[in-house]
Amino acid sequence: MRKDILIRIIGGFVIGVVLGQVVQFFVSKGIAQGSYAWVVPEFRALFTEEIFAIITQVMLAGLIGITFALAALFFEIARWGMLKQYIVHFFVTASIWIPIVMILWMPKTVANVCSLLASFLGTYVVTWLFQYKLSKRDIEKINAMLTKER
């Protein structure tokens, strides 16, 4: 179990950093006018040196990855129903992802905050519905196999 958690932490960190850099690339394309912006100006302004802003951004993106990697363990708690797993996962990941994304990349406007919250919630609703349908189909297959064995 410890090895699995360590693998999740390291893998989650690496994936978070890579995806964070992909996001930063696209953000940079929108704000840097032909050059690469390592961090958005609003985030850079919080630091005395740009390198500290870059390191902090990398660490925060890694933290997002770790959060999602570890929060996936909620789906392995068999005694919890699927709805409870998703609700707990949603609130844990949202409590980390939303503030970090807002700090790193989002201009702080009411429209952007609403858009971010709506996209996060919308993604969860769609994912939950998809997983619900897959689980329902799997249960129907298992029940059909059990009925045949009788």
Side-chain angles (χ1 to χ4, degrees):
M1 185 68 164
R2 287 184 187 177
K3 184 178 179 182
D4 178 50
I5 290 174
L6 183 61
I7 289 169
R8 283 177 183 266
I9 290 170
I10 293 169
F13 183 83
V14 170
I15 290 169
V17 169
V18 169
L19 291 177
Q21 290 305 305
V22 170
V23 169
Q24 184 58 37
F25 172 78
F26 287 107
V27 168
S28 179
K29 292 286 284 179
I31 65 171
Q33 300 174 353
S35 61
Y36 185 75
W38 287 95
V39 293
V40 298
E42 295 85 0
F43 186 68
R44 165 62 180 93
L46 300 173
F47 299 86
T48 56
E49 301 286 333
E50 185 175 37
I51 189 68
F52 296 129
I54 294 167
I55 292 168
T56 303
Q57 178 174 281
V58 167
M59 299 305 283
L60 289 173
L63 178 60
I64 290 172
I66 290 170
T67 301
F68 276 90
L70 292 178
L73 291 171
F74 295 132
F75 297 112
E76 296 180 12
I77 302 173
R79 66 183 182 276
W80 287 7
M82 193 168 129
L83 182 60
K84 182 177 180 178
Q85 291 170 339
Y86 267 91
I87 288 171
V88 172
H89 186 268
F90 174 84
F91 282 107
V92 168
T93 55
S95 67
I96 300 297
W97 188 81
I98 290 171
I100 291 175
V101 167
M102 289 177 63
I103 290 168
L104 292 180
W105 299 297
M106 293 290 294
K108 281 62 168 183
T109 65
V110 173
N112 285 342
V113 171
C114 290
S115 173
L116 180 67
L117 295 174
S119 67
F120 194 78
L121 181 60
T123 300
Y124 254 84
V125 169
V126 168
T127 302
W128 186 82
L129 288 171
F130 181 72
Q131 288 296 332
Y132 179 80
K133 288 182 186 246
L134 286 177
S135 295
K136 189 175 178 180
R137 187 189 70 199
D138 290 344
I139 290 168
E140 289 170 355
K141 285 180 181 178
I142 291 169
N143 285 338
M145 288 175 20
L146 291 173
T147 305
K148 283 184 181 178
E149 289 181 8
R150 291 184 183 170

